[in-house]
């Protein structure tokens, strides 16, 4: 069960002038939790208190109005202060035995359950959202019901009927969606990648058509820059999640890359793409996925990967002394029950790809040396 909701980008972080005492209490109460006090606390007070806003319509500026709540939108500190302010929300959600992830003003709730307990899981999610909404009201936040989506993810399993079809939030019934967009990646209720890859291909082809209309005025180098910025970036975004998907879907992405290469080099539509990729020194799509997985694992061993990646990887520790025991850069590959789901997970794909690399690549001394050696290795692997 996945619930994705967005909050409006304003909050009761502090208040000004007539309620300055409460404002400073709010600042002290939230920021002191992070060890902020003294001069830094005073700096934040002066930054947030006393702000005004005005509206410009048809060249006419309204009188400035004081802002009692919120942080400056578009500021560097805005997202950080918002996350610090909403930190107690995570504890509230966890008290309902619900998992959660937050990205600034975007919060996702997760509740795994067996098929027979879907109704119970739905009720738990619903109760959790009621408490979340109450907490937001108390803290001058708003839960946007119309921007909240509910996704019931399930395998090809027979579910008992009748199944729940919605979650109630206040007076609004939020129907289960067949798919939902999460930070640019489209999740489908059937846990397939068809919808996401179709949307990626459509967006990439749209950019290619726009570039093709001005191709006659551009040099090959400029076209290459535009294609890398607007087309290949879409293919590479979250591509580590595509590991293990079907060859049919990967072929759809590869066709986009081939079309991009033909556009840059002014090749004909039916010209073979492999020599063009060699000329541009581009890795094919599958190799780019392997490159992303390997890079994440390298950052894990160098200590620079985020915690949510590090928690999914485990250094291999043999039960008895083996010839390869001295290699400290081997990851544990978990046992899986199914190929369709178990062997598509990051915890399986990433260690499998990492362990397949040669010793000197895995033990590179710097990220730059690692990426050079890795790209050379993948070129030889996919272009024998």
């Amino acid at each position: 069960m996945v619930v994705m909701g967005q909050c409006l980008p304003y909050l009761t972080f502090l208040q000004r002038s007539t309620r300055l005492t409460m404002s400073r209490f709010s600042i002290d109460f939230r920021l002191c939790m992070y060890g902020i006090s003294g001069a830094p606390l005073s700096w934040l007070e002066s930054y947030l208190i006393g702000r005004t806003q005005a509206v410009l319509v048809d060249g006419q500026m309204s009188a400035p109005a004081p802002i009692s709540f919120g942080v400056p939108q578009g500021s560097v500190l805005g997202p950080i202060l918002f996350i610090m302010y909403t930190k107690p929300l995570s504890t509230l959600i966890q008290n309902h035995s619900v998992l959660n992830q937050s990205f600034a003003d975007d919060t996702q709730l997760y509740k795994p359950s067996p098929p027979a307990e879907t109704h119970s899981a739905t009720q738990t999610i619903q109760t959790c959202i009621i408490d979340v909404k109450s907490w937001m009201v108390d803290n001058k936040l708003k839960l946007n019901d119309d921007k909240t989506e509910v996704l019931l993810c399930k395998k090809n399993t027979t579910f008992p009927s009748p199944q729940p079809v919605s979650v109630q939030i206040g007076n609004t019934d939020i129907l289960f969606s067949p798919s939902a967009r999460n930070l640019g990646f489209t999740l489908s209720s059937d846990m397939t990648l068809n919808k996401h890859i179709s949307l990626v291909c459509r967006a990439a082809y749209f950019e290619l058509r726009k570039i093709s209309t001005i191709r006659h005025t551009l040099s090959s180098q400029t076209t290459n820059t535009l294609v890398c910025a607007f087309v290949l970036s879409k293919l590479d975004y979250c591509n580590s999640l595509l590991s293990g998907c079907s060859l049919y879907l990967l072929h759809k992405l590869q066709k986009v890359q081939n079309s991009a290469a033909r556009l840059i080099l002014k090749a004909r539509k039916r010209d073979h793409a492999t020599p063009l990729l060699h000329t541009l020194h581009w890795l094919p799509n599958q190799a780019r996925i392997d490159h992303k997985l390997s890079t994440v694992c390298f950052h894990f061993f160098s200590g620079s990967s985020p915690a949510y990646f590090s928690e999914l990887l485990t250094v291999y520790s043999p039960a008895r002394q083996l010839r390869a025991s001295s290699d400290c850069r081997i990851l544990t590959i978990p046992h899986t029950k199914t190929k369709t789901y178990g062997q598509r997970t990051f915890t399986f794909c990433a260690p499998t790809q990492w362990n397949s690399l040669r010793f000197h690549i895995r033990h590179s001394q710097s990220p730059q040396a690692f990426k050079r050696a890795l790209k050379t290795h993948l070129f030889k692997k996919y272009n024998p």
Side-chain angles (χ1 to χ4, degrees):
M1 179 75 66
V2 183
V3 179
M4 288 161 282
Q6 296 179 330
C7 308
L8 290 178
Y10 58 79
L11 62 159
T12 321
F13 198 85
L14 36 97
Q15 297 138 357
R16 60 182 296 274
S17 62
T18 58
R19 302 179 68 182
L20 188 58
T21 304
M22 178 60 72
S23 169
R24 287 177 177 167
F25 172 78
S26 299
I27 295 175
D28 292 343
F29 179 74
R30 295 296 170 94
L31 297 185
C32 287
M33 295 170 55
Y34 300 91
I36 300 176
S37 60
L41 185 60
S42 300
W43 294 340
L44 288 173
E45 286 181 355
S46 64
Y47 172 68
L48 293 167
I49 294 176
R51 295 183 296 111
T52 60
Q53 68 178 6
V55 178
L56 179 65
V57 179
D58 294 333
Q60 298 295 320
M61 181 74 72
S62 67
I67 300 178
S68 301
F69 312 110
V71 294
Q73 294 192 29
S75 62
V76 175
L77 287 178
I80 299 175
L81 293 174
F82 186 92
I83 292 171
M84 296 170 70
Y85 183 79
T86 56
K87 175 63 176 177
L89 187 60
S90 178
T91 303
L92 172 66
I93 296 171
Q94 291 173 5
N95 290 338
H96 290 271
S97 300
V98 175
L99 306 175
N100 72 97
Q101 290 283 348
S102 296
F103 304 89
D105 63 341
D106 194 323
T107 301
Q108 294 94 44
L109 310 183
Y110 308 88
K111 181 62 179 178
S113 68
E117 299 177 11
T118 305
H119 284 278
S120 175
T122 303
Q123 185 61 43
T124 300
I125 286 285
Q126 188 166 299
T127 303
C128 179
I129 294 177
I130 291 174
D131 288 350
V132 167
K133 191 168 186 176
S134 176
W135 184 90
M136 287 184 171
V137 170
D138 294 339
N139 289 270
K140 301 298 186 293
L141 288 165
K142 182 181 179 182
L143 177 66
N144 289 323
D145 296 351
D146 57 340
K147 292 185 178 180
T148 300
E149 296 181 276
V150 185
L151 198 66
L152 177 62
C153 296
K154 54 187 178 181
K155 302 178 183 178
N156 297 324
T157 307
T158 302
F159 276 63
S161 58
Q163 285 293 298
V165 296
S166 65
V167 171
Q168 186 173 9
I169 303 178
N171 296 324
T172 305
D173 282 334
I174 308 297
L175 298 176
F176 288 156
S177 303
S179 63
R181 195 171 177 84
N182 182 17
L183 299 178
F185 191 89
T186 303
L187 300 173
S188 299
S189 59
D190 57 1
M191 301 180 69
T192 63
L193 298 170
N194 303 51
K195 181 68 176 294
H196 171 74
I197 290 180
S198 295
L199 292 176
V200 169
C201 292
R202 185 172 68 180
Y205 280 126
F206 177 74
E207 298 294 343
L208 281 176
R209 285 193 294 271
K210 290 198 299 183
I211 297 173
S212 66
T213 59
I214 59 173
R215 176 64 182 91
H216 64 282
T217 66
L218 303 175
S219 65
S220 296
Q221 183 177 359
T222 303
T223 308
N224 192 358
T225 301
L226 291 175
V227 167
C228 290
F230 295 103
V231 179
L232 295 191
S233 61
K234 298 182 185 300
L235 302 184
D236 291 340
Y237 182 72
C238 290
N239 64 346
S240 60
L241 299 176
L242 306 181
S243 182
C245 72
S246 66
L247 295 178
Y248 168 74
L249 294 177
L250 290 178
H251 181 65
K252 293 178 66 175
L253 295 175
Q254 189 59 50
K255 288 175 65 176
V256 177
Q257 190 183 29
N258 295 346
S259 298
R262 294 188 181 100
L263 176 63
I264 295 172
L265 299 176
K266 293 185 175 181
R268 294 174 299 181
K269 183 177 181 181
R270 297 192 178 277
D271 286 350
H272 193 52
T274 301
L276 304 179
L277 298 180
H278 287 176
T279 302
L280 295 171
H281 209 60
W282 284 359
L283 290 171
N285 190 66
Q286 179 60 62
R288 299 171 85 93
I289 295 174
D290 294 344
H291 189 282
K292 179 69 70 65
L293 290 173
S294 301
T295 303
V296 170
C297 294
F298 179 82
H299 289 315
F300 166 75
F301 282 104
S302 63
S304 57
S305 64
Y308 53 83
F309 275 140
S310 301
E311 294 171 355
L312 299 175
L313 301 174
T314 305
V315 178
Y316 177 66
S317 179
R320 56 189 180 87
Q321 195 70 15
L322 300 173
R323 181 180 300 177
S325 299
S326 59
D327 190 349
C328 59
R329 290 200 171 188
I330 293 290
L331 292 172
T332 300
I333 301 176
H335 296 288
T336 59
K337 295 181 179 179
T338 61
K339 290 185 178 181
T340 53
Y341 295 102
Q343 293 188 10
R344 284 173 46 193
T345 61
F346 175 83
T347 54
F348 180 88
C349 293
T352 301
Q353 169 58 29
W354 173 259
N355 293 348
S356 68
L357 299 178
R358 295 179 179 178
F359 181 90
H360 76 278
I361 301 177
R362 288 187 277 106
H363 289 264
S364 299
Q365 297 300 313
S366 67
Q368 294 77 16
F370 170 76
K371 290 182 179 180
R372 284 196 300 269
L374 176 61
K375 190 170 184 179
T376 301
H377 166 74
L378 293 176
F379 260 112
K380 293 180 180 178
K381 176 181 178 180
Y382 287 93
N383 301 286

